[in-house]
Amino acid sequence: MKVRSHIALLVTAILVPTVLFSAVVLNMLLTAEREAALRSMQELARASVNVMDREATFAMATAQTLATSRNLYEGKFEAFYAQAKASNQNRAIHAALLDENGQQVFNTVRPYGTRIAAPNALAKERVRKVIAGGVPVYSDLIKGSATGKYVVSVEFPVTLRDGRRVVVNEWMYTEQLTRILPTRNIPASWLISAFDKQGITIARNISPEKFVGLPPRQERLKTILAGFEGLSRAYTRDGIEMYGAWERSDITGWTVGVGVPVSEIERTAVHTVLLTAAGFIIAIVLAVGGAVLFSRRLVGAIDHASAAARSLPDYRVPPVVDLRVDEMNVLQLALHRAGNMLVAGEAVRQQSLEEARSARVHAERAQKIAEEQNRAKDEFLAMLGHELRNPLAAIASGVTMLNMPGIDGERTAKVKAIIGRQTQHLTHLVDELLDAHRILNGKITLGRTPLDLASAVEACLASFEARGAMKTHQVAAELAPAMVEADPTRLEQMIANLIDNALKYTPAGGKVTVTVRIEDEAALLEIADTGIGLTPELLERAFDVFVQGQVVNRTKGGLGIGLAVVNALAEQHGATLGAASGGLNQGSTFTLRFPLAGAAPQAADPGAAPLREGSARILVVEDNRDVREMMFLMLSEHGFAVQVAEDGQSGIAAAFAIRPDIALVDIDLPDISGYEVAASLRKSADTAGIKLVAVTGYGQAMDRDKAFGAGFDRHLAKPVPIEQLVATIDELLERTAPSA
């Protein structure tokens, strides 16, 4: 069969069960719509009972309250009249007082003392029954003797001090009951009626003036008197067939019925079903139309793919068009790629040749770099040999002279002095090589602490000046305070290497300018010279190992690895080293850029107090800035090397970086608690040996126990006197010190 026949069979197989199923669903939907409407009627009837119960309950509560009046009990009816009128203020409920004969003593719709007509026999009998029963009751429909209008009431029997029996009556016009019936979102055709216990209409939302006070049709009256609740179908007094929903109040005994014309319920349900059926029919029509459209599209796509396949043997690339069928588009793209592969064979071969040539160029470039590095290494070894042979030659000559007979004491002393100096020089060269190896391989641990970069540079310049290293040069310094976090020893090494480098490559009489300033939230150390400068090739490799320019004064020595060491140390400090030069004989400028230290206490002068013997490293983890600053200053004054952190994670990172001897940790930190800091440090073998002291505002016994359980060695409650803090640190240091 053709594709169209297959699709026609598929559509038929789908539509037949769909139509049958739709008929069943529509019937169920019709029933469901009808039941939903009836449920809405039942809920409306229940809501109507609730609003009338609420009004009646309020009237009963008011009557009960008035029945306890002292004025009523003592027979002070005029005062009681004022109370009754005030109790119902702002509500559509009124009060009356009836004697045991049914005569109204007063009625709050009239001024007190107004003469009220005598009651009729029905009123007398009703009052007699209430007094005889001795309990409050909700009345049936009453025609007021004073007003002549229909009312309903709550009647509460009361015995006065003098033995008289009266009835407190809280009543309302039936118009009020009609007004409180639900009206929001209620169709105008829906009928709501309320009936008293005798089946007499007391409220109605449609034509109440015509039907209030009258009974319903006889068959409906029987069901009301029987207390029927639920759904029914019957004719109204207007002769309209309606569905009815009935609810009876457990409080008043009144019954509420909600009636909706049968035609309206059926019309709404049928309308909904018709809309749904129309949707089904439209869906079926669209499905059939879609099947026809798809069959045409699919056949066209197949024809196009067949033509594309026939073009491949002719080495033609089939064109790509949108066939509007994803699977056929995939097939078309596959045929298109096959054509491209046939046509692009030569292009691939040319590309392979080009890649081979490119690989050869890269290999030659890599070989050149390797040769340059090898040549730099050979030059370094030659320079190292030169540096080693000079002191060895002096030592060998000295040993020869010492072995010569007849050498006098003065010459012996000079020879020994020469051997000592050269031995010291050899030791310095070996130490420099070993230290550089460890630095370049990242095998050193930095003890970073806040310090002033300007002070460190000033101290280093003073050291150079003291040993006469700057006497042949002009050295200018412009130093502004700038706080950084650095290892003091390694920072001095970096500064010294850069200054020594400038002096080494600047001829005598040249100028070296050293500047410290703050720029773009960073501390900058800039060392500029007027020396021989750097060629572009040398500038590009200035920080590589084994690379060295032409030394102006070889007597200054050195192995040519200083800049590589400075660069490695800068990276480990989170700093950067930069170099600039205008070319040969244009001088050079080297710039170290450090992140600024964040905490204020880092501005303290690290040399303000002499360090204790051993310079114990103390880490303070405290989030309160003032407390952190004071602890830094006080501990620094007592000779400790202090590092600070403002939260738990920073404290953990600092502990792993500097490996302090003691960590003073606050418990209440902004990110993690001090207990978590202690647990983290105790878990790692690298930090497990750090002595931990909890310095916290929590000082209860349970807090100390919790601190010790988390791994702390001591617990100190804030505020901690500095003497106690220092004594605790000294005690912990003595316990960890090796025994003699």
Side-chain angles (χ1 to χ4, degrees), residues 363-379 541:
E364 292 173 352
R365 186 179 302 165
Q367 182 179 1
K368 181 179 179 181
I369 293 173
E371 290 174 351
E372 290 176 352
Q373 291 178 343
N374 192 51
R375 182 168 58 254
K377 182 186 67 174
D378 291 342
E379 292 174 356
R541 301 167 53 223

Side-chain angles (χ1 to χ4, degrees), residues 261-511:
V262 172
S263 60
E264 182 176 334
I265 295 292
E266 298 299 328
R267 183 172 60 252
T268 302
V270 170
H271 180 68
T272 302
V273 170
L274 289 177
L275 286 177
T276 306
F280 274 122
I281 293 173
I282 292 172
I284 291 171
V285 171
L286 291 176
V288 173
V292 173
L293 177 63
F294 172 69
S295 65
R296 292 179 178 176
R297 183 176 297 173
L298 182 60
V299 170
I302 293 174
D303 292 342
H304 181 84
S306 299
R310 290 193 296 269
S311 69
L312 291 179
D314 299 330
Y315 297 98
R316 289 185 287 114
V317 179
V320 177
V321 297
D322 185 8
L323 300 178
R324 296 186 290 179
V325 179
D326 288 346
E327 291 78 6
M328 298 306 299
N329 278 334
V330 171
L331 174 60
Q332 177 187 220
L333 289 174
L335 295 173
H336 181 77
R337 283 195 294 269
N340 280 327
M341 290 175 64
L342 292 173
V343 174
E346 180 62 20
V348 171
R349 190 177 69 84
Q350 292 295 332
Q351 182 180 359
S352 298
L353 292 174
E354 183 63 29
E355 289 176 353
R357 286 193 292 270
S358 177
R360 185 171 63 254
V361 171
H362 288 149
E364 292 173 352
R365 186 179 302 165
Q367 182 179 1
K368 181 179 179 181
I369 293 173
E371 290 174 351
E372 290 176 352
Q373 291 178 343
N374 192 51
R375 182 168 58 254
K377 182 186 67 174
D378 291 342
E379 292 174 356
F380 171 79
L381 291 175
M383 178 270 299
L384 178 61
H386 175 271
E387 291 291 330
L388 293 176
R389 285 191 181 94
N390 284 336
L392 286 174
I395 292 172
S397 300
V399 171
T400 301
M401 287 192 66
L402 290 176
N403 290 328
M404 292 176 62
I407 185 171
D408 57 34
E410 182 179 355
R411 289 186 178 182
T412 299
K414 288 183 179 180
V415 170
K416 288 181 178 181
I418 292 172
I419 292 175
R421 286 196 301 273
Q422 295 304 320
T423 301
Q424 185 177 5
H425 182 52
L426 279 174
T427 303
H428 174 72
L429 290 176
V430 173
D431 289 343
E432 185 178 359
L433 279 173
L434 294 176
D435 190 47
H437 174 75
R438 291 190 301 114
I439 292 173
L440 294 173
N441 286 277
K443 294 182 179 180
I444 63 168
T445 300
L446 299 178
R448 296 170 67 174
T449 186
L451 49 81
D452 183 9
L453 180 60
S455 298
V457 172
E458 189 174 13
C460 196
L461 288 173
S463 175
F464 271 81
E465 186 175 8
R467 64 175 186 262
M470 301 188 302
K471 61 184 179 181
T472 59
H473 294 79
Q474 303 175 45
V475 179
E478 298 178 9
L479 310 178
M483 296 303 298
V484 298
E485 287 189 1
D487 184 304
T489 301
R490 296 304 177 182
L491 180 62
E492 180 184 356
Q493 182 179 3
M494 296 162 71
I495 298 170
N497 275 351
L498 291 175
I499 295 175
D500 184 66
N501 188 75
L503 296 173
K504 185 187 302 182
Y505 291 100
T506 301
K511 184 177 182 179

